Structures are given as structure tokens and as C-alpha cells.
Amino acid sequence: GAVVSQHPSWVICKSGTSVKIECRSLDFQATTMFWYRQFPKQSLMLMATSNEGSKATYEQGVEKDKFLINHASLTLSTLTVTSAHPEDSSFYICSGGGYNEQFFGPGTRLTVL
Amino acid sequence: DAKTTQPPSMDCAEGRAANLPCNHSTISGNEYVYWYRQIHSQGPQYIIHGLKNNETNEMASLIITEDRKSSTLILPHATLRDTAVYYCIVRVAGGATNKLIFGTGTLLAVQP
């Protein structure tokens, strides 16, 4: 299957700082990518749909000013967690792909101290 | 998209078939059944999908009941590496988005 990478795989930051997570499709072009968040022992929660060349679409309850998404090219989407706080500590996962199959990145574990 | 119901956990002996059930009683005629799995601390992995016919690939088989209100994912010879959370998702085909809404899934523990 196709490959999606994420960088970094883990990050620790201080409260109040911003963190950028990159999601890349390595062998396909993705006009749409998705960002998920997963807390320990919980399921994946869809945060937003990242659209190449246009604004992201956020799910209900997700703060668009806190989770900034940029999809500047067909192979790269970025999620920036602004002014991160300990409650933002989570596993962030992106996906992209075709109609019948979504390919997921390996995830980024964010810990905010 | 319709909701699905799965048992929270199941055990299976290594080498035996693992049968994971999923109820989707409110599924619409144009909704497909998808299965993904997530091994601990990794991104989910696509397994298989189907509309109404049974499907088989190198990973698993998908059996969908005739009324489409439930389905079963079958791993024919489970190994320890199949220990994961398995998600059953129903999704509209031809929709404006490919987004997946994950439920709680079934934690399959394959025992040696």
C-alpha cells in the first residue's frame, strides 16, 4: 500500500509553546488529508479535513484557531498546535489516500509539560 | 454515516480463526462496510471492505449478512501479530469526502 509519513514521531514541549506536525504522502498525491487525535485507551477522533489549496474543514468542537492546518502541496499537510497545554497531550495521526482505502501515518505523540 | 456496534474485546488462540462481529443495523443501501485495525501505538491499517457480497483478500475474509445488518471479519489463522484493535466502519460510497469515523472497536488478543 501507499506510504504516509509523519514528523516528528514524538515531541515534548513546554506549556504555551506551539508545535508543528508534518504529514507527507510519499508515493501518491493527496488533495485531501485527515487529522485525527487519540487519547490513551480511546478511539481515534477526527479533528479536521485538510484540503490542498483551501481552508481546512474542522469537526464540531475542534478549535480551528488552536489547531492550524495548512495543506500547501499535494504531498504535505501540517498541523500546528498553538499555545499547547497539557490537555493537548495526545497521539496525533494523519491519513490520506484514495476512495476505497485510507493510508495512515505512524502517528506523532505530543507531550506538553 | 451509520453507527456500528462491536464487542469491546475478544480472545483467540494462535493458529485458530478469529471471527470478529459487527452490527450495523441502520446501514443504508449505498454504504460500504470497512474494516481497519490498529496495532498498539501505530496508525490504523486497512484490511478489507465490501458492499453486500462476501470478500476475501490476503489478510482476511468479510462475510456480510443478506440483510446487510451485520458482518463478520475472519482472520483465518490468527498470529500473535494480529493482536490489535479492529474497527468496523460503514461509509457512504460516492460521498463528498473519504473521511472515516471510528467507533470503539474490538480489542483482539491472540493468545499463544
Side-chain angles (χ1 to χ4, degrees), chain A residues 32 34 36 38 42-46 49 59 91 93 95 97-107 109, chain B residues 32 34 36 38 41-46 49 87 91-95 97-105:
Chain A
T32 302
F34 302 95
Y36 295 83
Q38 185 174 34
Q42 294 187 22
S43 184
L44 285 81
M45 186 194 79
L46 179 66
T49 302
E59 295 297 306
F91 192 51
I93 307 170
S95 76
Y99 188 76
N100 282 327
E101 182 175 350
Q102 281 289 300
F103 303 101
F104 288 81
R109 187 161 303 281
Chain B
Y32 283 69
Y34 287 78
Y36 282 76
Q38 184 181 26
S41 294
Q42 297 182 23
Q45 174 191 24
Y46 167 83
H49 76 281
Y87 295 99
R91 185 173 70 81
V92 175
T97 176
N98 296 329
K99 68 180 180 180
L100 298 171
I101 304 300
F102 287 80
T104 54

Side-chain angles (χ1 to χ4, degrees), chain B residues 18-112:
Chain B
N19 297 278
L20 293 96
C22 179
N23 287 320
H24 30 80
S25 59
T26 60
I27 192 170
S28 299
N30 61 347
E31 288 181 316
Y32 283 69
V33 180
Y34 287 78
W35 284 84
Y36 282 76
R37 73 179 183 183
Q38 184 181 26
I39 295 170
H40 183 63
S41 294
Q42 297 182 23
Q45 174 191 24
Y46 167 83
I47 301 173
I48 199 167
H49 76 281
L51 181 63
K52 51 184 175 183
N53 297 322
N54 298 337
E55 303 287 344
T56 295
N57 63 20
E58 65 279 2
M59 288 184 68
S61 294
L62 173 61
I63 308 298
I64 303 174
T65 58
E66 192 168 344
D67 62 8
R68 302 209 324 121
K69 293 184 177 182
S70 66
S71 60
T72 301
L73 178 73
I74 301 172
L75 308 179
H77 306 286
T79 71
L80 298 179
R81 288 175 294 181
D82 292 320
T83 292
V85 178
Y86 288 77
Y87 295 99
C88 169
I89 301 167
V90 294
R91 185 173 70 81
V92 175
T97 176
N98 296 329
K99 68 180 180 180
L100 298 171
I101 304 300
F102 287 80
T104 54
T106 296
L107 173 59
L108 174 69
V110 181
Q111 309 290 344

Side-chain angles (χ1 to χ4, degrees), chain A residues 21-87:
Chain A
I21 302 170
E22 293 185 348
C23 174
R24 294 183 184 272
S25 55
L26 298 185
D27 49 5
F28 67 98
Q29 294 183 331
T31 56
T32 302
M33 287 184 165
F34 302 95
W35 285 96
Y36 295 83
R37 179 169 56 178
Q38 185 174 34
F39 293 109
K41 300 191 183 231
Q42 294 187 22
S43 184
L44 285 81
M45 186 194 79
L46 179 66
M47 299 176 67
T49 302
S50 173
N51 303 299
E52 189 268 334
S54 65
K55 292 183 179 180
T57 305
Y58 291 82
E59 295 297 306
Q60 189 173 7
V62 177
E63 300 175 60
K64 62 180 182 180
D65 294 331
K66 180 168 185 63
F67 300 100
L68 301 180
I69 291 173
N70 183 276
H71 195 152
S73 78
L74 289 172
T75 59
L76 174 64
S77 174
T78 61
L79 169 69
T80 301
V81 183
T82 63
S83 187
H85 291 284
E87 57 264 31

